[in-house]
């Protein structure tokens, strides 16, 4: 993280705490519960069918990511007088290209793991996924596109461990090619998180806008936790 170079100004978050540090502290309140849900999701017993359910849910979630960022970038372009619009819009446009086609990676992983891609594409996405993405659409359209940064922050700051893909291959007996997305995100998301920290500390966020990002981040953490708990529990039914 970098220290904010901005001085305190009326309507701005205090310079004594960077925006990224404040947000990570607030998000940290949800991390233990999210980590517990992740640990349960990856336990060896029943992991192979659970991994297929995970891929199905994550494909549904990830296919919404680029359209969400594109929508937020368009809203930034439509409000040129907004002090956040230019910098936020440029970040989103660049991040779109970094995230493009990751849903195709998940679909390929699903096929290698023995799933039917046509059936996955035809299935209605889980309600938990619709709630996660739907909240972001609402906040972009009816509040401010900066809220999407909370969603991105939660996903980028909870990247897979570099060792996870190999452990999942060992515990499931599936080929390493079935874990491309897990492997790639373990390598990529650390750099993406650093870029997002720098952006958050650069943007002239008001206290209300900082709260909007925090609410979005916590909503996303709660939604991911509930999604993972549901994926784990469904194997016990």
């Amino acid at each position: 993280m970098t220290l904010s170079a901005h001085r305190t100004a009326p309507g701005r978050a205090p310079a004594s705490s960077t925006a990224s540090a404040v947000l990570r502290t607030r998000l940290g309140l949800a991390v233990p519960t999210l980590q517990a849900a992740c640990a349960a999701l990856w336990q060896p017993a029943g992991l192979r069918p659970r991994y297929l359910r995970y891929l199905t849910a994550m494909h549904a979630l990830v296919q919404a990511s680029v359209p969400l960022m594109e929508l937020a970038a368009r809203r930034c372009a439509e409000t040129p007088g907004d002090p956040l619009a230019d910098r936020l819009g440029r970040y989103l446009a660049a991040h779109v290209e970094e995230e493009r086609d990751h849903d195709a990676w998940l679909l390929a992983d699903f096929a290698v793991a023995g799933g039917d891609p046509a059936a996955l594409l035809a299935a209605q996405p889980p309600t938990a996924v619709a709630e996660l993405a739907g909240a972001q659409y609402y906040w972009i359209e009816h509040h401010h596109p900066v809220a999407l940064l909370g969603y991105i922050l939660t996903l980028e700051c909870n990247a897979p461990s570099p060792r996870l893909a190999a452990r999942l291959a060992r515990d499931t007996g599936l080929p390493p090619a079935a874990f491309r997305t897990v492997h790639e995100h373990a390598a990529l998301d650390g750099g993406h998180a650093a870029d997002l920290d720098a952006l958050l500390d650069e943007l002239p966020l008001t206290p209300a806008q900082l709260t909007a990002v925090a609410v979005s981040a916590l909503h996303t953490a709660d939604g991911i936790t509930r999604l993972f708990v549901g994926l784990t529990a469904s194997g016990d039914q």
Side-chain angles (χ1 to χ4, degrees):
M1 296 180 189
T2 58
L3 296 175
S4 175
H6 298 296
R7 293 174 292 179
T8 302
R12 289 276 303 283
S16 58
S17 296
T18 64
S20 62
V22 169
L23 288 166
R24 284 177 179 269
T25 298
R26 293 183 184 179
L27 184 57
L29 298 173
V31 167
T33 305
L34 178 55
Q35 288 179 337
C38 288
L41 181 70
W42 300 133
Q43 61 185 332
L47 180 55
R48 187 164 180 158
R50 192 184 317 121
Y51 180 61
L52 285 166
R53 295 196 298 274
Y54 165 83
L55 290 175
T56 299
M58 292 309 296
H59 177 270
L61 184 63
V62 168
Q63 72 176 348
S65 294
V66 166
L68 279 170
M69 289 186 286
E70 290 175 334
L71 175 63
R74 288 197 300 273
R75 295 297 171 263
C76 288
E78 293 166 0
T79 54
D82 186 325
L84 304 186
D86 180 64
R87 183 66 185 90
L88 177 58
R90 285 188 284 113
Y91 166 82
L92 290 167
H95 201 47
V96 160
E97 298 310 315
E98 293 172 339
E99 297 295 325
R100 195 178 297 283
D101 296 329
H102 289 198
D103 56 332
W105 295 3
L106 285 157
L107 198 63
D109 290 349
F110 187 74
V112 174
D116 179 358
L120 183 153
L121 292 171
Q124 181 177 3
T127 301
V129 171
E131 291 173 350
L132 276 163
Q136 301 305 317
Y137 278 108
Y138 188 91
W139 285 323
I140 291 167
E141 291 282 33
H142 301 291
H143 185 54
H144 195 288
V146 76
L148 185 61
L149 296 184
Y151 175 86
I152 298 172
L153 178 68
T154 300
L155 297 179
E156 301 287 10
C157 291
N158 290 281
S161 162
R163 297 181 295 277
L164 180 60
R167 181 168 73 80
L168 294 179
R170 181 196 68 212
D171 290 347
T172 61
L174 292 169
F179 305 95
R180 176 191 178 185
T181 306
V182 172
H183 175 76
E184 294 286 351
H185 277 271
L188 293 172
D189 285 353
H192 292 173
D195 291 342
L196 182 54
D197 280 344
L199 173 73
L200 288 164
D201 294 341
E202 178 185 342
L203 289 175
L205 295 169
T206 66
Q209 289 167 338
L210 186 61
T211 295
V213 177
V215 168
S216 174
L218 290 169
H219 173 81
T220 303
D222 178 67
I224 293 290
T225 298
R226 288 188 291 109
L227 176 63
F228 285 0
V229 168
L231 291 173
T232 303
S234 63
D236 299 329
Q237 297 174 356

